[in-house]
Amino acid sequence: MAEKSKILVIGASGYIGKFIVQASANYGHPTFALFRESTLNDPVKGQFAKHFKSYGVTILIGDLQDHESLVKAIKKVDIVISAVGSLQLADQFKIIAAIKEAGNIKRFLPSEFGNDVDRIRAVDPAKSIFEIKVQIRRAIEAEGIPYTYVSSNYFAGYFLPTLAQLDAAAIPRDKVVIYGDGNVKAVFNEEFDIGKFTIRAAEDPRTLNKILYIKPVNNILSFNELVALWEKKINKTLEKKYISEEEMLKQIQESPIPVNIVLAINHSVFVKGDQTYFEIERSFGVEASELYPDVKYTTVDEYLDRFV
């Protein structure tokens, strides 16, 4: 059996990064996580390093601002996965430079894990964040670095526990706000599954220089379908308030950061339909659940059962 690729995760202690690290280790890849010295000493984030070590992950010391430390870390592995947060997206130009100098990387997966940024029609402030990801894509391609872009759509953990209700502490049981007319389809994936599909794709020749879309058919629902599914589970009809596109755009303009970013992403998805308006063509993309039918994923239906 062929030796498993060595995988380095940058941004390992971030929201999606920890799921990717866990999936990499679970699939038997020699797994490395990059930590700053200061992060290791942090009382909260330092615990992630200890947790990772407990299931065989190697901790490497490095910093996106320290080119030599990046090159040194990258030379130890075959595949680099970036899961840095939105404030560090532009720092990925430094990862690209380090990969280019190291010269040994078989695949780079930049920090995407959301909408396909080449096919979105978002308004600011989300548009500006997506544009940085587009710039990273073009830089990777210009340097001739082998890549896979993971378009995982919505994180279930962000949206399903509250049905995308702003400022809600729990899932609604009386009233629900629905964006647009509620008929536009969106895609919701559990974070553990995003980790699994990402790692399966990382060395798959079928995903080389392609976009991996995580769009299992059971997780594609409109807002109205999502609410109806929840109503059926609790045997109750919720009072619904529909927010028009005009009202959404007004709220985006008037809301502070980060509320305006969340609203702009919701507008992109639930009004514009940016996760589902296009067909995946073999020339640019592949769908994860079709490529890996053996991967058991959590459906939206199953996910909502946790809150009944």
Side-chain angles (χ1 to χ4, degrees):
M1 189 175 176
E3 192 177 326
K4 296 249 185 181
S5 296
K6 299 184 184 81
I7 294 178
L8 170 65
V9 181
I10 300 174
S13 63
Y15 182 76
I16 198 64
K18 53 188 176 287
F19 296 100
I20 294 168
V21 172
Q22 187 171 337
S24 179
N26 287 347
Y27 277 123
H29 289 276
T31 304
F32 300 76
L34 191 74
F35 276 79
R36 291 192 301 259
E37 191 86 59
S38 59
T39 305
L40 285 178
N41 298 324
D42 182 278
V44 177
K45 291 208 167 183
Q47 293 302 312
F48 285 115
K50 290 178 183 175
H51 181 58
F52 293 155
K53 281 182 183 176
S54 73
Y55 47 86
V57 175
T58 302
I59 305 300
L60 300 178
I61 304 300
D63 194 315
L64 292 178
Q65 310 308 323
D66 180 349
H67 179 72
E68 293 308 315
S69 74
L70 264 186
V71 173
K72 186 179 175 184
I74 287 167
K75 281 185 173 178
K76 294 179 186 291
V77 301
D78 306 302
I79 293 167
V80 176
I81 302 176
S82 172
V84 299
S86 58
L87 296 177
Q88 289 184 293
L89 288 173
D91 286 337
Q92 292 180 109
F93 288 113
K94 297 181 173 76
I95 300 174
I96 292 168
I99 287 173
K100 194 69 179 168
E101 182 174 323
N104 62 302
I105 291 304
K106 297 175 185 173
R107 195 84 59 97
F108 178 39
L109 287 69
S111 187
E112 293 258 344
F113 308 108
N115 294 2
D116 175 6
V117 294
D118 278 329
R119 290 170 180 82
I120 56 105
R121 300 157 301 177
V123 298
D124 273 324
K127 181 182 177 184
S128 299
I129 296 170
F130 292 145
E131 281 174 348
I132 299 170
K133 293 185 178 185
V134 171
Q135 291 165 17
I136 294 295
R137 285 188 178 191
R138 300 295 87 84
I140 291 166
E141 292 156 13
E143 293 291 357
I145 295 168
Y147 65 83
T148 300
Y149 305 140
V150 180
S151 175
S152 58
N153 301 296
Y154 267 152
F155 293 147
Y158 264 23
F159 293 91
L160 296 185
T162 60
L163 295 190
Q165 304 300 290
L166 289 179
D167 300 323
I171 198 161
R173 293 178 182 271
D174 297 301
K175 301 175 183 177
V176 64
V177 171
I178 296 174
Y179 301 118
D181 64 9
N183 292 323
V184 176
K185 302 269 189 180
V187 189
F188 307 87
N189 291 304
E190 186 176 33
E191 291 78 350
F192 282 109
D193 300 330
I194 293 168
K196 288 188 284 190
F197 283 125
T198 297
I199 296 302
R200 288 293 294 272
E203 61 179 357
D204 188 338
R206 297 173 296 176
T207 63
L208 176 63
N209 298 339
K210 292 275 200 301
I211 302 166
L212 178 80
Y213 295 94
I214 306 178
K215 295 176 74 172
V217 65
N218 291 317
N219 289 356
I220 303 172
L221 292 90
S222 70
F223 214 135
N224 285 333
E225 288 170 335
L226 191 61
V227 170
L229 182 61
W230 177 239
E231 288 176 327
K232 186 178 178 183
K233 287 184 184 298
I234 61 171
N235 195 26
K236 184 178 180 182
T237 301
L238 303 186
E239 181 186 326
K240 300 168 189 70
K241 180 184 179 185
Y242 288 85
I243 305 293
S244 68
E245 179 174 16
E246 183 182 12
E247 177 61 23
M248 277 197 84
L249 292 171
K250 184 167 178 282
Q251 287 181 8
I252 291 165
Q253 291 287 325
E254 294 173 354
S255 298
I257 292 174
V259 176
N260 57 352
I261 298 171
V262 175
L263 282 168
I265 293 170
N266 285 344
H267 172 263
S268 160
V269 175
F270 290 121
V271 176
K272 292 297 185 184
D274 281 347
Q275 293 180 348
T276 54
Y277 78 90
F278 58 91
E279 295 294 324
I280 300 170
E281 294 177 15
R282 287 287 172 185
S283 60
F284 62 79
V286 288
E287 198 284 310
S289 65
E290 291 179 3
L291 283 189
Y292 314 111
D294 58 308
V295 172
K296 172 74 176 76
Y297 67 88
T298 301
T299 66
V300 171
D301 193 350
E302 291 164 341
Y303 197 98
L304 289 178
D305 282 338
R306 300 171 189 179
F307 308 104
V308 175

